[in-house]
Amino acid sequence: DGGNSFSLRSNSCVANGDLFNSIRNASFYTNTIYVNPFNENNVIVGGLNLFTSFDGGVTLNQVVDGDLHPDIHELKRNAVSGDLWLCTDGGIYKSINSGSSWTSSSNGLVINEVYRISGTQTTTDNLIAGLQDNAHMLRAANTNVYFPVYNSDGMDNYFNSFNNSIVYACSQNGGLSRSTDGGFNYNGTTLPGNGNANLFPWLTPIVQHPPNVIPFIITANTDVLYVYGTNGIIQGSSNGTVWTPMGPAGAAEVNGALTPSMAISSDDLG
């Protein structure tokens, strides 16, 4: 009737309820719908994942494709070739079989969103960058190649200023891990509540404590860091295994900011 009335077709998915019932409430961020112009019952719906239907949306089945990145934003059809083009947090994908399978078309596109990037004080080409929903990228010393490392959303990070083999990196909401091989492999820290959105902002700041230095002698605090949490600043020591609340709660959080900042005073090296 030309859009004058609507009826519910589905409010669940066969293999995965995440499209409609995500605990992340991701529908504000990831949603798209496509209807085959030659078959109104062929519907493709994108949310956190991608789903197809051949009965007008009554039954939705998740597209299981190891190459397809989640967080679906847009789907368009090439009117000439009939190919489908999909935009996700991981880039652009193409399907030549009505959405049954997808191949990445992002090679050569410089489209990563960098949240935080860190370098070292001793090597100019040693870098690590946290990427939105695409883990971290590590550029090792003496190379121009970037390696994908860690997982999830890549957030804050840093190289230990006196030992570049030690690297700290965060995923979303304070998911803090530590590397001892220059940033290639990580082990989770024991930061209390890490990954909890109620305790840590989406982009949780981490900073290294400046070590005590007498000229030419490093005396202490070579691997101490601070993490910002909504209940206050937390100090980490002993290779990320001992955590001490420093307070106060709400420090640096303004109007519910998701990405507060934090820095160490250069005058306090104790």
Side-chain angles (χ1 to χ4, degrees):
D1 59 2
N4 288 321
S5 61
F6 292 86
S7 60
L8 177 67
R9 303 296 287 173
S10 176
N11 61 2
S12 63
C13 304
V14 172
N16 186 325
D18 213 43
L19 176 64
F20 300 108
N21 304 306
S22 173
I23 59 174
R24 292 175 48 195
N25 296 319
S27 59
F28 78 96
Y29 178 67
T30 56
N31 62 81
T32 190
I33 187 168
Y34 163 84
V35 180
N36 188 325
F38 302 104
N39 180 1
E40 64 185 28
N41 288 312
N42 179 204
V43 182
I44 302 177
V45 183
L48 177 63
N49 297 299
L50 191 68
F51 300 83
T52 58
S53 173
F54 292 95
D55 57 8
V58 175
T59 305
L60 292 166
N61 293 286
Q62 183 176 342
V63 176
V64 180
D65 189 324
D67 292 330
L68 186 60
H69 195 286
D71 289 335
I72 313 300
H73 296 286
E74 184 65 281
L75 196 161
K76 295 293 185 182
R77 177 181 180 273
N78 185 312
V80 177
S81 67
D83 298 339
L84 299 180
W85 292 88
L86 188 70
C87 294
T88 80
D89 271 12
I92 299 174
Y93 296 81
K94 177 183 177 181
S95 175
I96 59 174
N97 53 16
S98 299
S100 297
S101 61
W102 300 83
T103 56
S104 175
S105 297
S106 300
N107 188 37
L109 297 178
V110 185
I111 54 176
N112 284 320
E113 178 185 356
V114 178
Y115 276 130
R116 294 290 186 269
I117 188 168
S118 299
T120 72
Q121 299 187 35
T122 57
T123 308
T124 57
D125 55 4
N126 203 178
L127 302 169
I128 185 170
L131 309 180
Q132 196 280 325
D133 208 14
N134 284 273
H136 285 74
M137 295 297 287
L138 175 72
R139 179 177 176 175
N142 303 315
T143 179
N144 60 359
V145 179
Y146 285 84
F147 301 91
V149 296
Y150 202 22
N151 54 29
S152 301
D153 289 79
M155 299 292 174
D156 209 354
N157 48 67
Y158 74 79
F159 290 90
N160 183 287
S161 58
F162 286 89
N163 182 353
N164 294 344
S165 294
I166 299 174
V167 183
Y168 284 91
C170 264
S171 57
Q172 61 267 47
N173 302 119
L176 180 65
S177 289
R178 181 177 183 268
S179 170
T180 58
D181 64 358
F184 286 95
N185 298 284
Y186 292 83
N187 291 308
T189 67
T190 59
L191 175 65
N194 71 82
N196 187 331
N198 293 319
L199 298 177
F200 297 96
W202 175 255
L203 208 173
T204 296
I206 59 174
V207 294
Q208 181 182 2
H209 190 297
N212 287 347
V213 179
I214 299 173
F216 308 110
I217 302 175
I218 304 171
T219 62
N221 295 341
T222 58
D223 193 13
V224 174
L225 73 155
Y226 294 97
V227 180
Y228 173 88
T230 56
N231 288 331
I233 296 169
I234 306 170
Q235 182 191 70
S237 58
S238 300
N239 304 328
T241 61
V242 177
W243 299 93
T244 306
M246 307 295 290
E253 186 173 11
V254 179
N255 297 326
L258 298 179
T259 56
S261 297
M262 183 171 60
I264 298 292
S265 170
S266 60
D267 296 328
D268 182 10
L269 302 181

